[in-house]
């Protein structure tokens, strides 16, 4: 039988703490509506939950934390909500980057940044430059990100670098494409968390979530904190990551 060479990552060396956690921060609007507040009040409160999550994950030794802040589909929302989200992003960059830097955190932003206003793009570039050599956790904000956009842009970039592959598509392997994905600097997520009760991926990291452990919680994002992260880590610790093998094979490896 021919052996299909899968590029999905293998069992992490380090058990316990996930190297990479990716989170869909959902439920801001419902958190606010439940309190008879405008939806945007939930987004503002959500920024506090981001701060708490970054601190807790860094303290626990997580190496990569990726937060979905704005999807390629979120442009479909009312213009005033989109504009508040952009203002909050600008304000968070202005207020929080110094503290990230002092704490040794490296900031990256992934997604199609071209539709963002120049001021926001400049703040992102400055924050990335300033924190680029920090040794601590890498915090990635996915903004105007979509998993399908990512795969397409990677495919385009790969074929532009390697026209020989376009001429011989049967030669293309997964490992040719993955270096062009927006998060090629990080291992694939070990743990995915979605708050807010919905159980879907909503076009987040489609390629990278192939073997990620999924954790869904009803907690609305503004209520997400250290206890909720702890619960997700406990659930993660109980999983057996087999990557296609059998339990017995894994037991053999451990012995
Ligand atoms: C997540 O909360 C924040 C963004 C998508 C920007 P929502 O705004 O989606 O909150 P719900 O799902 O409507 O409650
Ligand atoms: C996913 O949340 C995107 C972000 C959290 C940025 P949505 O609230 O936009 O997802 P759907 O529309 O419920 O799938
Ligand atoms: Mg939502």
């Amino acid at each position: 039988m021919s052996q299909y060479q899968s590029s999905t990552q293998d069992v992490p060396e380090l058990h316990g703490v996930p190297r990479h956690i990716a989170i869909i921060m959902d439920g801001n609007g419902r958190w606010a509506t439940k309190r008879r507040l405008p939806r945007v009040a939930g987004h503002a409160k959500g920024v506090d939950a981001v701060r708490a999550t970054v601190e807790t994950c860094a303290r626990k030794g997580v190496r990569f934390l990726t937060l979905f802040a704005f999807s390629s589909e979120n442009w479909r929302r009312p213009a005033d909500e989109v504009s508040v989200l952009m203002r909050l992003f600008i304000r968070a960059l202005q207020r929080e980057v110094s503290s990230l830097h002092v704490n040794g955190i490296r900031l990256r932003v992934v997604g199609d940044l071209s539709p963002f206003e120049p001021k926001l793009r400049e703040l992102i570039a400055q924050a990335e430059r300033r924190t680029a050599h920090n040794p601590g956790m890498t915090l990635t904000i996915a903004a105007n990100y979509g998993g399908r956009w990512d795969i397409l842009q990677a495919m385009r970039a790969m074929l532009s670098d390697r026209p020989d592959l376009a001429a011989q598509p049967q030669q293309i392997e997964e490992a040719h494409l993955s270096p062009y994905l927006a998060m090629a600097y990080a291992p694939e997520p070990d743990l995915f968390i979605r708050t807010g009760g919905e159980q879907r991926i909503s076009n987040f990291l489609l390629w990278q979530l192939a073997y990620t452990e999924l954790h869904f919680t009803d907690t609305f994002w503004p209520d997400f904190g250290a206890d909720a992260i702890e619960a997700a880590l406990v659930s993660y610790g109980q999983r057996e990551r087999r990557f296609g093998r059998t339990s017995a094979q894994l037991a053999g490896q451990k012995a």
Side-chain angles (χ1 to χ4, degrees):
M1 272 236 323
S2 75
Q3 287 256 319
Y4 161 70
Q5 289 299 323
S6 171
S7 66
T8 57
Q9 64 172 39
D10 223 325
V11 184
E13 295 276 315
L14 251 178
H15 284 282
V17 178
R19 284 172 305 195
H20 183 176
I21 302 181
I23 307 183
I24 297 189
M25 311 184 285
D26 196 22
N28 292 351
R30 281 164 288 156
W31 180 91
T33 305
K34 213 175 83 182
R35 288 166 175 75
R36 299 175 190 277
L37 295 168
R39 288 177 55 82
V40 295
H43 298 317
K45 185 78 179 154
V47 178
D48 297 341
V50 170
R51 202 179 297 112
T53 303
V54 170
E55 280 168 17
T56 307
C57 288
R59 187 156 30 82
K60 294 232 166 241
V62 172
R63 299 300 304 159
F64 296 87
L65 173 66
T66 302
L67 303 176
F68 203 5
F70 192 85
S71 76
S72 44
E73 288 72 29
N74 286 144
W75 297 107
R76 296 172 181 156
R77 295 193 178 196
D80 53 350
E81 181 169 337
V82 170
S83 125
V84 169
L85 285 167
M86 295 300 153
R87 298 269 83 73
L88 280 172
F89 193 11
I90 289 176
R91 206 164 72 184
L93 284 167
Q94 287 168 334
R95 291 188 179 174
E96 311 285 344
V97 172
S98 292
S99 138
L100 293 177
H101 189 48
V102 166
N103 287 291
I105 292 170
R106 189 162 72 118
L107 182 74
R108 300 291 298 260
V109 179
V110 293
D112 177 8
L113 305 186
S114 61
F116 290 157
E117 62 177 271
K119 181 184 176 182
L120 178 53
R121 293 213 304 265
E122 183 48 34
L123 279 170
I124 290 170
Q126 277 173 13
E128 288 187 328
R129 269 200 307 272
R130 187 169 169 201
T131 61
H133 302 294
N134 285 345
M137 184 176 82
T138 299
L139 168 64
T140 301
I141 304 294
N144 193 25
Y145 178 88
R148 292 187 179 181
W149 164 83
D150 196 2
I151 293 168
L152 259 188
Q153 69 77 26
M155 180 70 78
R156 290 189 186 122
M158 180 193 77
L159 291 179
S160 134
D161 276 0
R162 296 280 311 268
D164 58 306
L165 291 176
Q168 287 185 299
Q170 69 285 357
Q171 300 293 321
I172 300 176
E173 291 174 9
E174 292 172 11
H176 285 129
L177 188 73
S178 41
Y180 292 94
L181 292 166
M183 292 202 60
Y185 54 84
E188 291 168 16
D190 301 299
L191 174 63
F192 160 97
I193 300 171
R194 182 173 186 143
T195 63
E198 310 292 359
Q199 303 200 352
R200 53 176 171 255
I201 304 290
S202 297
N203 199 16
F204 197 21
L205 301 157
L206 297 180
W207 178 284
Q208 299 87 337
L209 292 176
Y211 262 106
T212 302
E213 296 297 329
L214 309 180
H215 178 82
F216 297 96
T217 167
D218 289 337
T219 305
F220 292 139
W221 176 251
D223 290 328
F224 194 78
D227 289 354
I229 296 175
E230 200 55 58
L233 292 179
V234 167
S235 160
Y236 176 78
Q238 291 163 351
R239 316 281 180 97
E240 183 179 64
R241 306 190 71 192
R242 291 191 286 277
F243 294 89
R245 298 181 184 79
T246 66
S247 280
Q249 283 178 300
L250 293 179
Q253 272 181 8
K254 280 174 203 150

